[in-house]
Amino acid sequence: MNPGAKPTWFIGPWELSAATAVLPPSPAAGRVLLVESTGKGSALPYHRWKLVLVLSALRHFAEELRAQGFEVDHRVAPSYAEGIRAHLAERGPAEVIVQAPAEWGIAQSIGTLAVELAGRVRVEGDRRFLTSREAFAQWAEGRKLLRMEDFYRWQRRRLGFLVDGRGEPLGGQWNLDRENRQGAKALRKRGVPAAPTRCPPDAITQRVMRMVGGARATPAGGMSFAAHWGSVDGFDLPVTRAEALAALEEFLACRFADFGPYEDAMLRGEVYLYHSRLSAAMNVGLLHPREIVERAIARYEQGGVSLASCEGFVRQVIGWREYVNGIYWLTMPGYRAHNYFGFSRPLPQLFWEPDRTDLACVRDSVAMVRDTAYAHHIHRLMVLSNFATLAGVHPLRLSEWFWAGFADAMEWVELPNVVGMATFGDGGLLASKPYVSSAAYINRMSDYCGGCRYDPKQRTGPDACPFNYLYWSFLDDIRQRKHDVGQRMALVLKGLERISAAELAAMREARARFVESLAPDTTGWTFHHDQG
Ligand SMILES: Cc1cc2nc3c(=O)[nH]c(=O)nc-3n(C[C@H](O)[C@H](O)[C@H](O)COP(=O)(O)OP(=O)(O)OC[C@H]3O[C@@H](n4cnc5c(N)ncnc54)[C@H](O)[C@@H]3O)c2cc1C
Ligand code: SF4
């Protein structure tokens, strides 16, 4: 080490703007290091939109920092840790400062490097959230149940969002969800908003799109993009802080007021509806959650936005998002192994090739992910994960698909959502019940069933919707195996008593035939959870 040398600040692909990065206090104080990790890029068959998002946002940030006078070392390496090692060897900084990495595998490899090169790599706390990992662990300490609702109230009080001077919730209630949850009919009546404004790819993004695009893409800087899902066509996500800020303002002006009432509804062919579409920008660090919530509350205070819409949105950002990050760091690496119901089925190939299924809701939701690397929360929870759970798919196989398929996916957020919330794989650590439903829910919340070859009202027979016989057979399994699925399921389990033994037997037979008919994943794609 050169004792007079300046330090280097490493910027990971989860902190790609000044809003979230830990940077040198001035260009004279030290260098900045940005690494394109070939190992990370090929660890999973990431959707090509995800690759374009990360690589383009990283290259834009490198350019911005250079324009501000920073010395930037932007390099390609087999892993982030190897990039840091090579930088240390070539540039000889006093030390490399790293903001805590966003994923377990990367945290492990950089942590190992920090031990090996004691004193030359320093990992600092994570500043991308409103709740540090330590604060979450303190909140969790000694609690029997780590419920999101308790965490969320603690957050509101602690951060002073939407509370009065006594720390009580504005409007008198913590949760205004009852005023939300409108279905497809009400949404049709309200009308569909214009889709978020596209962020047209500039020269940097177009270069990345050419590199990542195409099924037989040539290796670039050691990275081959042949084995990846989706295409780059139509890519229009924000890749700079300016674009992300504009996207936030557009959401607040055009869709925020109707976010709450229609957040659970789905319409055929409509992707974003009244959702914000900010998760991808947030997860690569183009926006900080604090500014999002502060701007949302300021917009609510101007009038024209109901408290229910504002509270519903704030709950997602300071509640769910912070909570799943806390759960992830509290439980890793063991969380990946959870499989409460003991499912063993592989991921069906239809998750990669939606035309293989004639279940309209599943086909359209998978096609939406393939085409936009996005689907809103209810597609993820009540169509895709509901289907996989009822079909007995192993939670980790589903988690891998979510991790690879979505532009906003990072393990810290998809894993607790899939293994905890969506599949009850953790046995109820995160969710108070399994989020499963029959066709009735999908029929109420969407307009898919009208255009489907199946009948959402039939439980048996050739036209019966598979969600129905899968759902009732699943509940019957829970009853027979005496799984503890929480009090909130008591009423639906009681519903089994109204079904005759003969009908239940017919549904179980239909389930057996149906799941046997699901072709397993044949892509041969590999998932290296910790690589990168
Ligand atoms: C099975 C499953 C997998 C998911 N995987 C991811 C993922 O990989 N990455 C991801 O960011 N979100 C994930 N989510 C959470 C949520 O579905 C997405 O954050 C949301 O759909 C993103 O779209 P949006 O930006 O339009 O969100 P909006 O509906 O507009 O919500 C606003 C913001 O709240 C946050 N948020 C809302 N719900 C959650 C939640 N459950 N967990 C964490 N943050 C939340 C997001 O930052 C989001 O941008 C998953 C949910 C489920 C059920
Ligand atoms: S009928 Fe069943 S499979 Fe078809 S769209 Fe409705 S819920 Fe989905």
Side-chain angles (χ1 to χ4, degrees):
M1 180 183 34
N2 173 0
K6 291 175 188 163
T8 291
W9 275 261
F10 168 80
I11 306 296
W14 42 80
E15 47 177 333
L16 295 176
S17 81
T20 53
V22 178
L23 289 167
S26 71
R31 289 191 200 90
V32 174
L33 168 65
L34 290 117
V35 175
E36 294 182 14
S37 162
T38 55
K40 183 62 179 164
S42 54
L44 271 67
Y46 292 114
H47 196 293
R48 287 189 166 85
W49 276 42
K50 169 73 180 289
L51 294 167
V52 175
L53 167 73
V54 169
L55 292 172
S56 176
L58 188 142
R59 291 177 184 197
H60 277 94
F61 194 36
E63 286 303 302
E64 275 172 37
L65 291 168
R66 274 197 195 102
Q68 289 166 27
F70 286 99
E71 182 187 335
V72 175
D73 180 15
H74 174 189
R75 59 175 63 224
V76 177
S79 69
Y80 299 110
E82 287 310 309
I84 294 171
R85 187 196 293 279
H87 173 87
L88 278 161
E90 288 172 29
R91 308 279 177 108
E95 61 172 350
V96 175
I97 299 159
V98 180
Q99 180 176 195
E103 288 182 341
W104 173 261
I106 302 168
Q108 290 307 104
S109 57
I110 294 183
T112 305
L113 187 71
V115 172
E116 185 195 326
L117 305 177
R120 299 206 62 203
V121 177
R122 179 156 56 88
V123 180
E124 290 193 341
D126 183 351
R127 300 191 201 160
R128 300 178 305 267
F129 290 85
L130 295 160
T131 323
S132 69
R133 294 171 196 177
E134 296 71 29
F136 187 87
Q138 273 167 19
W139 171 80
E141 180 83 43
R143 284 173 193 263
K144 263 202 195 134
L145 288 174
L146 301 181
R147 288 285 170 249
M148 196 315 265
E149 188 61 36
D150 299 334
F151 171 76
Y152 169 63
R153 292 180 189 189
W154 179 75
Q155 286 283 76
R156 291 254 304 263
R157 285 206 169 101
R158 184 176 77 89
L159 301 167
F161 289 137
L162 300 179
V163 287
D164 63 21
R166 293 170 298 126
E168 293 305 315
L170 289 193
Q173 283 171 312
W174 291 105
N175 184 332
L176 299 166
D177 261 359
R178 240 176 313 152
E179 295 175 37
N180 295 332
R181 298 201 178 131
Q182 300 282 343
K185 269 197 199 132
L187 176 55
R188 270 268 172 252
K189 228 164 141 192
R190 170 69 185 92
V192 173
T197 304
R198 299 191 70 227
C199 297
D202 65 2
I204 294 180
T205 304
Q206 284 175 25
R207 213 170 309 125
V208 174
M209 286 169 77
R210 279 195 296 278
M211 185 175 103
V212 169
R216 289 180 292 108
T218 47
M223 221 182 298
S224 163
F225 299 102
H228 286 271
W229 199 39
S231 101
V232 297
D233 294 350
F235 178 88
D236 64 350
L237 288 167
V239 290
T240 64
R241 172 137 174 90
E243 287 178 341
L245 283 170
L248 168 62
E249 292 308 319
E250 187 198 45
F251 163 67
L252 295 175
C254 306
R255 303 192 299 284
F256 181 38
D258 288 300
F259 171 84
Y262 305 111
E263 65 180 309
D264 288 0
M266 300 172 280
L267 291 180
R268 234 179 301 163
E270 297 295 339
V271 184
Y272 305 108
L273 296 166
Y274 289 97
H275 289 266
S276 70
R277 196 214 198 191
L278 292 173
S279 51
M282 287 170 87
N283 296 350
V284 296
L286 298 178
L287 296 168
H288 194 279
R290 180 181 295 282
E291 66 189 336
I292 292 182
V293 173
E294 285 176 353
R295 287 292 305 128
I297 292 175
R299 182 69 193 76
Y300 156 71
E301 286 169 352
Q302 281 170 21
V305 175
S306 68
L307 181 58
S309 246
C310 183
E311 186 281 311
F313 184 72
V314 169
R315 163 185 297 265
Q316 310 306 324
V317 179
I318 68 163
W320 278 110
R321 187 171 188 273
E322 302 272 322
Y323 170 77
V324 297
N325 186 54
I327 293 280
Y328 178 77
W329 290 104
L330 201 63
T331 57
M332 281 299 281
Y335 206 76
R336 286 181 191 149
H338 287 303
N339 183 8
Y340 182 65
F341 296 118
F343 291 150
S344 56
R345 197 160 287 282
L347 187 80
Q349 179 65 10
L350 65 87
F351 275 79
W352 302 113
E353 291 176 29
D355 291 339
R356 281 176 175 259
T357 180
D358 50 9
L359 277 75
C361 55
V362 175
R363 186 184 57 227
D364 284 24
S365 301
V366 175
M368 188 184 284
V369 182
R370 179 198 57 200
D371 297 342
T372 64
Y374 176 94
H376 80 57
H377 190 69
I378 299 302
H379 290 274
R380 301 188 202 204
L381 185 66
M382 298 310 295
V383 178
L384 297 165
S385 303
N386 186 14
F387 176 73
T389 305
L390 295 179
V393 174
H394 194 294
L396 195 59
R397 302 289 87 78
L398 184 67
S399 157
E400 288 163 344
W401 180 80
F402 270 98
W403 194 357
F406 286 75
D408 61 21
M410 289 192 178
E411 197 189 32
W412 67 263
V413 55
E414 69 72 23
L415 186 73
N417 268 299
V418 175
V419 171
M421 179 190 250
T423 64
F424 206 74
D426 67 6
L429 173 71
L430 198 150
S432 54
K433 63 163 193 162
Y435 280 91
V436 286
S437 81
S438 66
Y441 177 87
I442 296 172
N443 197 19
R444 187 166 67 251
M445 301 312 292
S446 80
D447 64 354
Y448 282 125
C449 300
C452 185
R453 91 144 207 69
Y454 295 106
D455 182 345
K457 299 219 162 60
Q458 290 194 39
R459 296 199 289 221
T460 52
D463 295 332
C465 170
F467 273 96
N468 290 337
Y469 52 75
L470 291 174
Y471 174 72
W472 289 106
S473 307
F474 176 67
L475 292 187
D476 195 32
D477 285 350
I478 289 177
R479 178 172 66 174
Q480 286 185 24
R481 294 178 196 159
K482 299 190 172 34
H483 286 302
D484 179 1
V485 287
Q487 268 313 300
R488 288 178 70 196
M489 289 295 277
L491 205 63
V492 284
L493 284 167
K494 227 171 156 31
L496 279 168
E497 290 167 13
R498 292 195 299 273
I499 299 177
S500 70
E503 193 186 357
L504 211 45
M507 286 198 278
R508 293 184 73 95
E509 252 177 59
R511 172 176 71 173
R513 275 196 306 274
F514 180 80
V515 292
E516 278 316 305
S517 76
L518 293 173
D521 179 353
T522 51
T523 57
W525 282 337
T526 50
F527 299 84
H528 302 287
H529 301 131
D530 290 328
Q531 194 168 304

